[in-house]
């Protein structure tokens, strides 16, 4: 059975036939269950949602009738479907495995045009169209609508990149008319109009936005739009280029409800942010700093994005602030050099123009201040918006104190109370809990008193609103009196606002029975929330208990990709930790649970569940780190090695693998630790590698170390170290992929075809897309060497899609470089340059030196073949110097030197070019002469040598070698050969040239080289 909410709520059979759901109330019931799909919805809540104050005389019976009607409708359409609606105390649950909104969310996370278009094609109107105004659907409908707009914007940006300016301008016109104040959307439309030659319309659209902003919000357009407008006026040709991509997508949470009482604050902050590098929102806990910061940041326009970094999961005083920021930005540790996280972050952001929202800094204020000072100094385009209970204490910091909401005066006048932002927030939240609640003359005095007694603190007001349904407003006020007096008397050493917020939390704590208190206190040990199973195992919590705690606003329930997730608000967690009786035992259970979780996840990371389990481990990062600190030890670290590798968390891996354990564990850990160290640029010491591998009974760890050695360029050592005779099919496939790289470097096409194909088949059978991508690289490389460039490009495009879906950003950069190389070989130099630039940016951001080399090589070759010799020589000289300095023989050096030699020759220095080409030949010889790159050195020498006779023999030797290896010259390489051939035929005559060509074919590479 399939369900749809992206439009009117519908159900269809798996065959696509519509399900007829009779009656408005039954359809509303279906919508309510879909909005809460796969979760139990209490009968009381369903009755309230369906009938409100007009409930029938027997509401429970009436609900059962509607449930029976819904089950019958589903079962009539598809036998057995009635079981999708389950009775579970205290209500009902709809099992919905296939919902169009879930498919939309999955597709919306992609980067390619086809999948984004497919996401939008799922829509049939406004979400939950029949019931979008109902409370149960409002939050998800708003989230989906916001996400849909984001997909429209990303799709428009992608199409602008492809040059579809007219199409984008037409498609965005209607969206801009419906969302006229959305500046990101308007910016894309202006670009599309301008690139389509409609400059006047672009200027009119900007004028319309400026007028609307002034009239409706009293604001001016943001600085990015102002700059775009100026460029349009100046007819800047650079506007035809695609807009610069953000480091990662904006990571602000979706807006789920109205921000009450902060209009003036938002206006001031939005005007302050563009001109200040560091703004810190300060104020007591619960005053609403986080919400205000995210709303103020939402409307900012930074070219490289706006990113929320939640620091609350870090323990007090934790130094790993830079790790947290790197994770939030999706950045990996830098491979090839051992950088600290702060150095890594500084390097990645140095050229960025982005906004970082650092949330909850107070418990790690010293390391935050140190990191922010570094970023403000080293990354001039970065702006920081921080929230904290105290200032960071840095030069240039602008402190913005978040005040409590305005409270009503003491006389209880209804109009005055309604004007109070505190009262409006309380009334809005109370109405969400009790349908029909209104702020009126009868309850206005009590609401005014409540707001004043809670000091206008938003969190306190929201907690109090949860009790209105059971106690009434006056009852809530009566319950507060004694509690506040008692707490103020006991805690005179804390600020008054802190006393008030603590009193509200303690009052809520006192309303719980003892088992619920125990569960709440235990939940505080989780770093960043818990799923139902984790809560049950660590806290002895059942779903009913969690539901009660959620209803009382002491626990927040978020719907994540793996189901519901329960977390505590920061102040509630701090309160509960002080009341945790058996902290050591609970933390031990927490560490044991997440050690088992990681051990279950590890093999799934090499299976068809790879994407799901990567996401689940990402979600549990804070808990895994906490478990490592509280008893997980080396056993947990070993279970996380492959996850850390895939996510590029090399420093974290090395640190955790230094823990103590048993002899077998320490031997395995030593191999992994060695591999991670080599990835971060530590020198390769053969004896150290061999000793570590000899003592480890772990084929996967041995392969990993040998594979890293291969990346260091020592092909012989790597081949000697690979495990043999393994009974693990994954290790067998991984070894084959690594050997395929060696075969590709050696130009052994028959072996490459055999082992790359076998590796690809094994990984496909296992369902491991990361592994398939490794093998696919060399299957694509084989196709490219054989001259089948279309097949090679097709394979790498598929690999790119998979790498993006798994968020393996270094792999994305490497695959883009493959595509750039193929485009250049196919004479599409503009595409090669575009892909190379994308690959280069990504490789630098992710700190992947091998990917940087590959990307820059593509840029250098594209520039040379487009005639931009100065640009080409800059790129290629830098790469050549890097390869020459490598203690091992750099695999890329031959190719770089051949291209550099051509660039020098085309600049008029044939003697210098010949010296470079001879050096290229020697580099190829050091690696084992026999690859296509090595034969290219003969063609390169032919372009530079003075003697036409020698040049002709060199071309003959190269052509014979290509024929023997069955590696024909690519179209772009043929252009070079034809250029040199034309010059030689003019000098020698066709007959003499052909004769010398035949002589060269008999010489072989070494004797041909001796002619120079």
């Amino acid at each position: 059975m399939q369900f749809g909410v992206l439009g009117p709520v519908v159900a269809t059979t798996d065959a696509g036939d519509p399900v007829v759901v009779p009656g408005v109330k039954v359809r509303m019931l279906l919508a309510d269950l879909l909005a809460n799909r796969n979760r139990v919805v209490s009968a009381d809540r369903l009755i309230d949602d369906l009938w409100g104050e007009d409930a029938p005389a027997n509401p429970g019976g009436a609900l059962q009738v509607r449930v029976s009607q819904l089950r019958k409708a589903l079962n009539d359409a598809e036998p057995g479907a009635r079981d999708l609606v389950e009775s579970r105390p205290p209500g009902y649950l709809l099992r919905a495995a296939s919902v169009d909104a879930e498919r939309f969310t999955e597709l919306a996370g992609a980067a390619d045009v086809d999948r984004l278009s497919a996401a939008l094609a799922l829509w049939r109107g406004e979400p939950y169209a029949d019931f979008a105004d109902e409370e149960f659907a409002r939050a998800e409908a708003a989230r989906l609508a916001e996400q849909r707009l984001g997909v429209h914007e990303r799709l428009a940006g992608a199409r602008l990149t492809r040059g579809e300016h007219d199409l984008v301008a037409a498609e965005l016109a209607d969206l801009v008319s419906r969302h006229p104040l959305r500046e990101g959307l308007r910016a894309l439309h202006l670009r599309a109009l301008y690139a389509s030659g409609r400059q006047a319309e672009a200027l009119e659209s900007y004028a319309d936005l400026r007028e609307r902003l002034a009239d409706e919000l009293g604001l001016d357009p943001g600085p990015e739009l102002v700059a775009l407008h100026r460029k349009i006026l100046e007819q800047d040709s650079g506007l035809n280029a695609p807009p610069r991509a953000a480091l990662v997508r904006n990571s602000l949470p979706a807006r789920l409800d109205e921000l009450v009482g902060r209009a003036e604050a938002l206006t001031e902050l939005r005007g302050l942010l563009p001109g200040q590098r560091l703004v810190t929102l300060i104020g007591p806990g619960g005053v609403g700093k986080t919400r205000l910061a995210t709303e103020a940041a939402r409307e900012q326009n930074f070219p490289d994005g706006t990113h929320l970094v939640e620091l609350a999961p870090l323990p007090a005083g934790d130094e790993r602030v830079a790790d947290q920021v790197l994770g939030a930005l999706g950045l990996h540790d830098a491979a090839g050099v051992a950088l600290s996280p702060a150095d890594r972050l500084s390097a990645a952001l140095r050229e960025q123009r982005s906004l970082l929202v650092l949330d909850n800094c107070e418990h790690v204020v010293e390391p935050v201040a140190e990191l922010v000072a570094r970023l403000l100094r080293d990354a001039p385009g970065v702006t920081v918006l921080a929230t904290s209970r105290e200032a960071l204490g840095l030069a240039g910091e602008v402190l913005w104190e978040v005040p409590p909401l305005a409270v009503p005066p003491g006389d209880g006048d209804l109009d005055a109370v309604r004007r109070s932002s505190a009262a409006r927030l309380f009334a809005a939240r109370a109405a969400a809990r009790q349908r029909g609640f209104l702020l009126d003359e009868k309850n206005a005095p009590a609401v005014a008193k409540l707001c004043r007694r809670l000091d206008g603190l938003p969190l306190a007001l929201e907690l109090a609103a949860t009790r209105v349904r059971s106690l009434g407003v006056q009852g809530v006020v009566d319950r507060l009196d004694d509690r506040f007096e008692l707490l103020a008397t006991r805690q005179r050493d804390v600020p008054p606002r802190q006393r008030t917020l603590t009193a509200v939390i303690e009052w809520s704590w006192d309303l719980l029975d003892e088992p619920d208190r125990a569960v709440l206190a235990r939940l505080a040990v989780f770093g960043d929330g818990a799923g139902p199973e984790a809560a049950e195992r660590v806290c002895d919590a059942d779903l009913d208990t969690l539901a009660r705690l959620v209803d009382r606003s002491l626990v927040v329930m978020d719907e994540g990709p793996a189901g519901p997730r329960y977390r505590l608000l920061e102040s509630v967690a701090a309160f509960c930790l002080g009341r945790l009786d058996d902290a050591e035992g609970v933390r031990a259970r927490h560490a044991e649970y997440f050690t088992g979780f990681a051990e279950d996840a590890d093999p799934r990371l090499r299976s068809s569940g790879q994407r799901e389990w990567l996401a689940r481990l990402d979600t549990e990062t804070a808990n895994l780190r906490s478990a490592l600190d509280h008893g997980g030890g080396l056993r947990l670290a070993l279970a996380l090695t492959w996850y850390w590798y895939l996510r590029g968390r090399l420093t974290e891996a090395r640190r955790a693998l230094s823990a103590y354990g048993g002899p077998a564990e320490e031997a395995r850990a030593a191999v992994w630790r060695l591999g991670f160290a080599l990835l971060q640029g530590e020198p390769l010491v053969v004896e150290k590698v061999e000793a570590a591998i000899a003592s480890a009974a772990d084929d996967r760890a041995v392969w990993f170390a040998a594979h890293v050695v291969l990346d260091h360029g020592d092909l012989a050592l790597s081949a000697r170290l690979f495990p043999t005779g393994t009974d693990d099919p994954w290790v067998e496939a991984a070894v084959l992929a690594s050997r395929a790289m060696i075969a590709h470097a050696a130009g052994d096409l028959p072996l490459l075809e055999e082992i790359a194909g076998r590796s690809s088949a094994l990984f496909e059978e296992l369902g491991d897309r990361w592994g398939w991508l490794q093998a696919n690289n060399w299957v694509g490389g084989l196709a490219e060497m054989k001259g089948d460039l279309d097949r090679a490009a097709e394979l790498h495009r598929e690999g790119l899609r998979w790498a993006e879906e798994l968020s393996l950003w270094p792999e994305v950069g490497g695959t883009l470089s493959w595509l750039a190389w193929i485009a250049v070989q196919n004479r599409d130099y503009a595409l090669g340059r575009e892909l190379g630039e994308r690959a280069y940016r990504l490789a630098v951001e992710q700190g992947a030196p091998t990917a940087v080399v590959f990307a820059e090589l593509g840029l250098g070759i594209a520039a040379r073949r487009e005639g931009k010799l100065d640009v080409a020589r800059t790129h290629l000289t830098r790469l050549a110097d890097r390869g020459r300095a490598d203690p091992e023989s750099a695999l890329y050096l031959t190719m770089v030197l051949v291209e550099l030699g051509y660039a020098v020759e085309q600049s008029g220095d044939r003697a210098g070019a010949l010296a470079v080409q001879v050096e290229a030949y020697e580099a190829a010889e050091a690696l084992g002469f026999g690859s296509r790159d090595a034969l290219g050195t003969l063609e390169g020498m032919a372009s530079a040598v003075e003697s036409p006779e020698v040049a002709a023999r060199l071309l003959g030797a190269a052509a014979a070698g290509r024929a023997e290896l069955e590696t024909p010259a690519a179209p772009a390489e043929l252009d070079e050969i034809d250029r040199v051939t034309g010059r030689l035929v003019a000098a020698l005559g066709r007959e003499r040239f052909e004769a010398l060509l035949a002589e060269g074919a008999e010489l072989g590479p070494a004797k041909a080289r001796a002619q120079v």
Side-chain angles (χ1 to χ4, degrees):
M1 187 71 68
Q2 302 177 36
F3 299 93
V5 298
L6 302 180
V9 175
V10 296
T12 58
T13 66
D14 289 339
D17 298 322
V19 177
V20 178
V21 180
V24 173
K25 293 299 182 187
V26 182
R27 291 198 298 275
M28 185 181 291
L29 172 64
L30 173 61
D32 202 342
L33 292 173
L34 277 172
N36 298 279
R37 53 192 172 273
N38 302 313
R39 290 179 294 172
V40 177
V41 187
S42 70
D44 287 346
R45 178 174 168 186
L46 289 171
I47 290 168
D48 204 14
D49 288 343
L50 265 62
W51 289 285
E53 293 182 347
D54 299 322
N58 180 10
L63 177 62
Q64 287 181 355
V65 169
R66 300 306 187 277
V67 170
S68 296
Q69 290 174 321
L70 176 59
R71 284 172 168 165
K72 182 178 185 303
L74 297 177
N75 207 66
D76 288 346
E78 191 169 275
R82 66 177 293 109
D83 294 335
L84 295 177
V85 182
E86 297 181 10
S87 289
R88 286 198 195 173
Y92 298 90
L93 171 147
L94 174 65
R95 288 192 292 109
S98 179
V99 182
D100 57 3
E102 307 291 347
R103 177 61 175 157
F104 167 73
T105 299
E106 178 185 353
L107 291 170
D112 61 280
V113 169
D114 292 340
R115 290 172 68 80
L116 291 175
S117 299
L120 294 176
L122 295 171
W123 286 73
R124 299 166 286 105
E126 295 303 315
Y128 293 91
D130 322 50
F131 311 106
D133 292 333
E134 299 294 335
E135 187 64 28
F136 63 79
R138 193 176 302 158
E140 188 179 33
R143 178 184 64 80
L144 289 168
E146 176 67 21
Q147 196 173 10
R148 181 188 191 184
L149 276 175
V151 172
H152 273 297
E153 290 176 343
R154 288 169 47 218
L155 182 59
R159 286 177 168 167
L160 284 177
T161 301
R162 289 169 32 161
E164 299 172 4
H165 308 125
D166 290 323
L167 177 62
V168 173
E171 288 184 348
L172 292 187
D174 179 57
L175 282 175
V176 168
S177 69
R178 286 188 280 129
H179 305 277
L181 300 181
R182 194 177 178 95
E183 294 194 19
L185 191 65
R186 183 79 70 150
L188 288 166
H189 192 222
L190 294 180
R191 284 181 175 274
L193 289 171
Y194 178 81
S196 303
R198 297 152 68 181
Q199 181 184 4
E201 290 181 55
L203 294 173
E204 289 173 6
S205 180
Y206 177 83
D208 172 69
L209 172 65
R210 183 172 54 193
E211 182 177 348
R212 286 177 182 270
L213 285 172
D215 290 345
E216 298 181 30
L217 300 178
L219 297 175
D220 292 324
E224 298 303 322
L225 267 173
V226 172
L228 177 59
H229 177 241
R230 182 170 60 251
K231 289 182 178 181
I232 293 174
L233 289 172
E234 296 169 354
Q235 299 188 19
D236 188 338
S237 60
L239 286 181
N240 290 318
R244 192 172 171 216
L247 187 70
V248 295
R249 300 189 188 98
N250 288 359
S251 58
L252 296 177
R255 183 189 294 116
L256 297 180
D257 54 27
E258 179 188 6
L259 179 63
V260 177
R262 297 297 193 190
E264 293 182 6
L266 275 177
T267 300
E268 182 177 343
L269 277 175
R270 286 169 177 165
L272 184 65
L273 274 177
Q276 302 294 333
R277 296 281 315 283
L278 172 60
V279 177
T280 303
L281 304 188
I282 60 172
V287 79
K289 301 183 293 293
T290 298
R291 182 65 190 277
L292 183 58
T294 54
E295 289 302 314
R298 197 181 303 282
E299 299 301 326
Q300 300 300 314
N301 288 288
F302 284 79
D304 295 298
T306 299
H307 312 285
L308 175 64
V309 183
E310 296 178 345
L311 300 177
L314 292 176
D318 198 305
E319 297 290 331
R320 294 173 293 188
V321 173
D323 288 307
Q324 197 81 353
V325 180
L326 287 168
L329 270 62
L331 291 170
H332 296 265
D333 286 330
V337 59
L339 293 176
S340 71
D343 289 339
R344 173 73 193 94
L345 185 62
S346 178
L349 296 178
R350 186 166 289 122
E351 303 299 326
Q352 296 293 323
R353 294 179 60 197
S354 56
L355 173 63
L356 298 182
V357 181
L358 304 182
D359 188 37
N360 289 301
C361 300
E362 57 272 1
H363 62 304
V364 286
V365 67
E366 294 296 336
V368 167
E370 181 180 351
L371 178 65
V372 170
R374 170 78 179 275
L375 293 179
L376 294 179
R377 182 180 67 247
D378 293 350
V382 170
T383 294
V384 175
L385 175 61
T387 75
S388 179
R389 295 183 189 178
E390 62 178 292
L392 301 187
L394 298 177
E397 180 182 25
V398 176
L399 294 179
W400 204 97
E401 184 174 1
V402 180
L405 296 174
V407 299
D411 57 9
D413 174 73
L414 179 59
D415 290 338
V417 174
R418 284 176 173 168
R419 288 193 297 271
S420 158
S421 53
R424 285 192 285 117
L425 173 65
F426 176 80
R429 300 300 183 255
R433 291 283 180 165
Q434 180 181 359
R435 186 182 298 276
F437 176 87
L438 293 174
L439 182 59
D440 54 24
E441 291 183 353
K442 182 178 178 181
N443 60 27
V447 170
K449 185 176 183 180
L450 179 69
C451 292
R452 292 194 304 273
R453 296 294 301 274
L454 295 180
D455 294 328
L457 290 172
L459 176 59
L461 292 166
E462 294 192 355
L463 287 170
T466 65
R467 297 290 161 244
V468 171
R469 184 176 179 185
S470 58
L471 299 175
V473 180
Q474 188 59 52
V476 174
V477 174
D478 292 341
R479 294 291 292 269
L480 282 174
D481 288 344
D482 292 340
R483 300 294 177 173
F484 275 117
E485 291 296 325
L486 177 64
L487 192 58
T489 301
R490 291 165 57 195
Q491 296 194 11
R492 298 183 183 278
D493 60 336
V494 296
R497 290 192 182 98
Q498 182 72 27
R499 294 181 220 163
T500 303
L501 181 58
T502 305
V504 173
I505 299 172
E506 188 155 29
W507 162 67
S508 299
W509 170 273
D510 287 344
L511 292 176
L512 301 176
D513 58 26
E514 198 57 41
D516 286 4
R517 288 184 192 173
V519 168
L520 184 62
R522 293 167 191 155
L523 281 171
V525 305
F526 285 89
D528 192 20
E533 181 187 352
E536 179 182 1
R537 295 271 296 278
V538 176
C539 307
D540 195 23
D542 57 34
L543 290 177
D544 287 343
T545 302
L546 293 170
R548 285 195 299 273
L549 294 173
V550 169
D551 286 342
R552 294 176 180 181
S553 294
L554 289 165
V555 173
V556 176
M557 196 279 285
D558 299 319
E559 192 64 50
R565 190 167 183 82
Y566 302 93
R567 62 181 178 84
L568 302 189
L569 299 172
E570 175 194 356
S571 298
V572 175
F575 177 93
C576 293
L577 281 173
R579 287 154 179 78
L580 184 58
D581 294 333
D582 182 19
E584 185 176 342
V586 176
R587 289 199 180 279
R589 291 201 299 274
H590 177 275
E592 181 63 28
Y593 173 80
F594 281 102
T595 300
F597 173 82
E599 289 175 337
D600 288 343
D602 179 51
R604 290 174 168 87
L605 293 179
R606 296 179 295 281
S607 71
S608 58
Q610 187 175 71
R611 182 180 181 184
E612 174 195 349
W613 282 88
L614 277 171
R616 292 184 66 175
L617 286 163
D618 289 342
T619 300
E620 299 295 357
T621 293
N623 280 314
L624 292 167
R625 287 174 175 165
S626 178
L628 283 166
D629 293 338
H630 294 93
L634 202 52
R635 178 184 158 201
L636 175 54
L638 286 167
L640 290 172
T641 49
W642 193 240
Y643 168 68
W644 282 326
Y645 175 68
L646 292 180
R647 285 292 183 247
R649 296 178 185 169
L650 312 181
T651 302
E652 184 173 359
R654 293 176 68 183
R655 183 168 55 224
L657 289 166
S658 298
Y660 292 106
E665 286 181 333
E666 290 194 356
R668 289 177 59 206
V671 181
W672 285 102
R673 195 167 59 243
L674 173 67
F676 287 122
L678 292 174
L679 280 173
Q680 289 199 305
E682 286 201 4
L684 176 63
V685 180
V686 175
E687 295 78 9
K688 186 176 179 180
V689 174
E690 290 177 333
I693 286 179
S695 61
D698 183 342
D699 284 349
R700 195 156 51 84
V702 170
W703 164 81
F704 173 69
H707 181 72
V708 175
V709 169
L710 177 58
D711 277 347
H712 271 245
D714 195 332
L715 307 187
L717 174 62
S718 181
R720 190 169 75 248
L721 295 176
F722 285 130
T724 57
T726 180
D727 57 0
D728 184 338
W730 189 93
V731 173
E732 180 186 354
V735 170
L736 287 170
S738 299
R739 291 192 182 279
M741 180 179 177
I742 298 174
H744 184 272
D748 190 340
L749 269 61
L751 179 61
L752 174 59
E753 183 168 14
E754 175 190 347
I755 61 179
R758 174 65 178 152
S759 176
S760 178
L762 282 172
F763 277 128
E764 189 168 8
E765 184 178 337
L766 292 167
D768 183 345
R769 290 196 170 187
W770 175 89
W772 182 92
L773 180 60
Q774 309 312 303
N776 178 72
N777 282 339
W778 307 116
V779 175
L782 174 67
E784 185 266 331
M785 290 180 75
K786 286 188 168 185
D788 191 349
L789 298 181
D790 290 342
R791 171 62 176 157
E794 178 185 349
L795 286 167
H796 289 305
R797 279 194 296 268
E798 185 175 6
L800 177 64
R801 176 171 61 82
W802 286 6
E804 288 175 335
E805 286 182 0
L806 293 171
S807 299
L808 300 173
W809 301 114
E811 306 294 345
V812 170
T815 309
L816 284 170
S817 294
W818 271 110
L819 289 168
W821 167 255
I822 292 168
V824 168
Q825 294 296 83
N826 221 4
R827 301 192 184 102
D828 193 342
Y829 304 126
L831 177 60
R833 185 177 64 253
E834 177 193 336
L835 292 169
E837 287 171 351
R838 287 174 58 194
Y840 186 80
R841 280 199 306 270
L842 193 57
V844 171
E845 288 171 359
Q846 297 297 326
T850 302
V852 169
V853 169
F854 199 1
E856 189 164 16
L857 176 60
L859 291 174
I861 297 174
R864 183 187 71 76
R865 295 182 184 178
E866 285 184 301
K868 300 174 182 177
L869 298 181
D870 289 342
V871 175
R873 291 183 68 170
T874 298
H875 283 300
L876 296 169
T877 300
R878 180 161 55 231
L879 289 175
D881 290 343
R882 180 173 182 164
R884 290 165 177 147
D886 197 318
E888 303 295 332
S889 299
L891 297 179
Y892 58 85
L893 184 57
T894 299
M895 192 186 313
V896 170
L897 291 172
V898 168
E899 288 296 328
L900 179 59
Y902 278 128
V904 173
E905 178 249 326
Q906 288 177 306
S907 300
D909 182 4
R910 292 180 69 177
L914 183 59
V916 174
Q917 297 290 3
V918 169
E919 183 186 358
Y921 180 94
E922 292 169 352
E925 202 170 31
L927 287 171
F929 202 97
S931 69
R932 186 180 65 181
D933 293 342
L935 294 171
T937 66
L938 301 178
E939 294 159 351
M941 284 188 279
S943 73
V945 72
E946 290 294 340
S947 167
E949 290 82 1
V950 171
R953 294 189 186 100
L954 287 166
L955 287 183
R962 286 185 181 276
E964 182 180 352
L965 289 176
E966 298 182 355
T967 55
E973 292 173 322
L974 284 173
D975 290 343
E976 299 298 338
I977 296 170
D978 290 345
R979 178 173 65 85
V980 177
T981 296
R983 189 176 75 226
L984 296 180
V985 168
L988 298 168
R990 172 62 65 179
E991 185 175 345
R992 176 65 175 152
F993 171 75
E994 296 288 352
L996 291 166
L997 208 63
E999 288 180 20
E1002 298 297 325
L1003 291 175
K1007 291 182 179 179
R1009 157 69 182 90
Q1011 300 269 312
V1012 178

